[in-house]
Amino acid sequence: MYQLPFEVPKISYEEALAIVRGALRFGIEPLLETVEDMLAELGDPDLAFECVQIAGTNGKTSTSRYAAAILAGEGLRTALYTSPELVSYTERMEVAGDPVSEEAFAHGVSAAHVAGERVNARRSAQGLRPYDITEFDTLTVAAMVVFAEAGVDVAVLECGMGGRWDATSAAKSIRAVAVTGIGLDHMRILGDTLEEIAGEKAAIIKPGRACVLGTGTADPRSVEDVFLEQARAAGVTPVLVRPDAAGEKDAGLTVASFRVTKVPRRLGGPLELDVTTPRATYPELAALKPSYQAQNIACAVTLAEGYLGRELDAEALFTSIVQCPTPGRFQLLRPEPPLLIDACHNPQSVETFLSALEDVLPEGEPRPLLLAAVLADKDVRGIVDLLSGAFPRVAVTQTASPRALPASELAELFAAAGTEVTGTYPTVEAAASALCGESCVACGSITLAGELAGLFR
């Protein structure tokens, strides 16, 4: 069992939050050495278990959750590291299907903080510039300590951004990786084109690792070529996840396919699908989820197989998938009047969400009120254009995130797009209170979904 190589102070959850939030001032720092040195200082907690890593612009959180659930169903003590949280920071670290306690979270943060101080003190003594240790650096190192001390067998790690420089890539025990898809996101860091962004995410494909490429890596072909070239260079044979009708088998590639056999026709209705991998066919899998989750389920099934190197237990797989929670993804917070939230936050994920919504609310049926909030560093116009075409009425608000677009600016954009703006609210709580008697669909940012979920706990 892993043990810390030095003592760390016992701190409260509130003190841990102060450390984590204090690190936000450093923003995003594409530097892997920071986390590598902190982990080494802590005696390599990441070597106490194996890791599965998942990157992608959209779908990576759901795929991570399904992968963790499937591996747990195979009898492994499984951890899950995702971001961002919906309500509490503890949600970012799960062990055996549950968020870690506030005490465990605080202990991990304390260990990461002390490790960072020790590393930076040594760098200063050597005349080197101290590292800017970011929020994500701190949380990633903390998670490694928490997971190691919990004695997990495998941890599923969701990349926070990109892949090449993502803090999760510092883990030295990654055995299998997946990329769910590519979109224009974090362009200041990752690049201005889909191909440049694909190159950053493809960097997680390395020799000796099983590799799965999700449906979102197939289009355009120039993006798929980036991944296939990286796989060739690493000596890795990737498995491509594609819809059953994609016809990729003729291209000489290794393919896993999925076929949706039943689409949900109401909120909370069942999705049913068959998944066929190079090792097995798993018929009649089911989830009380929208249809877009089919590609994420198929990716997770294939990734779990790749990590284990064998066929899965079909009965355990069915149970793992049907019981897997996906908070903030097409989640009904209130049945009457309905309040549906979704964490879609860029044009690609908005398109996916609207497609799923069309299954349960076909064109011609009255649409509920849209409650929207968007982060200013996203493709705001792209999001507004898509949502305005699907909802005739919108109420706008802004979240507590420092990156939130002011509600007044968002209202102007929706009005310019021809959507009736029924209300502008300074906070999510104010919006929820004012709209408590109205059927609503809330989307546009992860933070909106999270703040609403927090109000209905």
Side-chain angles (χ1 to χ4, degrees):
M1 179 71 73
Y2 168 81
Q3 290 186 327
L4 286 173
F6 47 81
E7 291 187 5
V8 301
K10 183 176 181 179
I11 62 175
S12 68
Y13 181 62
E14 289 71 26
E15 290 171 317
L17 291 182
I19 291 172
V20 170
R21 290 167 177 162
L24 285 169
R25 69 185 186 277
F26 294 120
I28 298 172
E29 185 74 22
L31 185 67
L32 210 54
E33 288 87 345
T34 308
V35 179
E36 291 173 337
D37 287 356
M38 291 169 69
L39 290 174
E41 188 73 18
L42 288 162
D44 300 314
D46 50 311
L47 292 178
F49 50 88
E50 295 187 331
C51 296
V52 171
Q53 185 185 30
I54 300 172
T57 303
N58 297 308
K60 62 181 183 290
T61 301
S62 293
T63 301
S64 297
R65 288 194 168 277
Y66 281 116
I70 293 167
L71 292 173
E74 292 290 324
L76 297 175
R77 184 166 171 78
T78 305
L80 174 65
Y81 179 59
T82 62
S83 64
E85 73 286 348
L86 283 182
V87 180
S88 168
Y89 266 101
T90 59
E91 297 168 18
R92 296 195 181 201
M93 307 173 197
E94 292 187 10
V95 173
D98 293 314
V100 301
S101 67
E102 291 184 352
E103 292 76 15
F105 179 90
H107 172 71
V109 169
S110 180
H113 185 61
V114 172
E117 289 182 328
R118 289 166 65 109
V119 167
N120 275 341
R122 190 161 54 250
R123 287 180 63 84
S124 295
Q126 295 169 348
L128 300 173
R129 182 183 182 278
Y131 290 131
D132 293 334
I133 300 174
T134 69
E135 176 209 35
F136 200 66
D137 293 340
T138 302
L139 290 171
T140 302
V141 174
M144 297 298 172
V145 170
V146 172
F147 296 162
E149 292 186 336
V152 305
D153 299 310
V154 59
V156 178
L157 309 177
E158 177 194 352
C159 288
M161 180 200 68
R164 186 189 309 277
W165 305 112
D166 192 81
T168 60
S169 292
K172 296 178 285 295
S173 55
I174 298 172
R175 303 289 180 254
V177 300
V179 183
T180 58
I182 299 298
L184 293 174
D185 209 7
H186 295 294
M187 293 164 63
R188 182 179 63 84
I189 302 292
L190 301 181
D192 296 327
T193 68
L194 290 173
E195 292 76 17
E196 288 176 330
I197 294 171
E200 292 301 306
K201 297 182 190 293
I204 68 173
I205 304 171
K206 294 183 178 180
R209 296 179 178 178
C211 173
V212 177
L213 299 177
T215 57
T217 64
D219 186 39
R221 186 57 185 265
S222 57
V223 163
E224 184 179 66
D225 288 344
V226 172
F227 289 105
L228 295 180
E229 178 53 39
Q230 175 68 18
R232 279 191 291 268
V236 170
T237 301
V239 180
L240 282 61
V241 178
R242 300 292 181 259
D244 195 45
E248 291 283 358
K249 294 178 182 178
D250 297 333
L253 302 170
T254 303
V255 175
S257 63
F258 65 94
R259 183 170 64 93
V260 174
T261 56
K262 184 175 182 179
V263 173
R265 295 300 182 189
R266 59 179 174 79
L267 289 176
L271 163 71
E272 295 181 7
L273 70 155
D274 301 334
V275 176
T276 299
T277 72
R279 290 184 172 88
T281 294
Y282 305 100
E284 299 179 347
L285 300 178
L288 300 179
K289 306 294 179 185
S291 55
Y292 69 75
Q293 290 290 9
Q295 60 189 354
N296 299 325
I297 292 169
C299 188
V301 168
T302 309
L303 179 61
E305 267 197 355
Y307 167 72
L308 294 169
R310 61 169 172 81
E311 183 178 336
L312 303 175
D313 180 311
E315 188 171 334
L317 175 64
F318 177 89
T319 302
S320 297
I321 290 174
V322 79
Q323 293 182 349
C324 180
T326 54
R329 271 69 185 177
F330 217 82
Q331 182 180 0
L332 191 63
L333 287 182
R334 182 184 64 204
E336 288 297 333
L339 172 58
L340 179 73
I341 63 171
D342 194 89
C344 57
H345 57 283
N346 55 39
Q348 294 87 358
S349 59
V350 169
E351 285 182 337
T352 300
F353 168 70
L354 292 178
S355 176
L357 191 66
E358 184 65 28
D359 291 335
V360 297
L361 290 174
E363 188 174 351
E365 291 192 13
R367 285 292 168 96
L369 178 72
L370 170 67
L371 175 61
V374 181
L375 298 183
D377 58 355
K378 299 296 182 179
D379 182 356
V380 178
R381 290 188 180 277
I383 293 170
V384 168
D385 287 346
L386 288 168
L387 291 176
S388 63
F391 295 92
R393 300 182 305 129
V394 61
V396 298
T397 186
Q398 64 192 71
T399 66
S401 169
R403 298 155 55 202
L405 183 75
S408 57
E409 293 184 28
L410 186 58
E412 291 175 2
L413 290 172
F414 271 108
T419 302
E420 178 190 354
V421 179
T422 65
T424 302
Y425 303 98
T427 66
V428 173
E429 185 173 7
S433 177
L435 303 174
C436 62
E438 181 126 28
S439 298
C440 288
V441 170
C443 64
S445 75
I446 297 174
T447 52
L448 173 62
E451 289 187 28
L452 283 170
L455 293 173
F456 282 82
R457 271 196 166 183

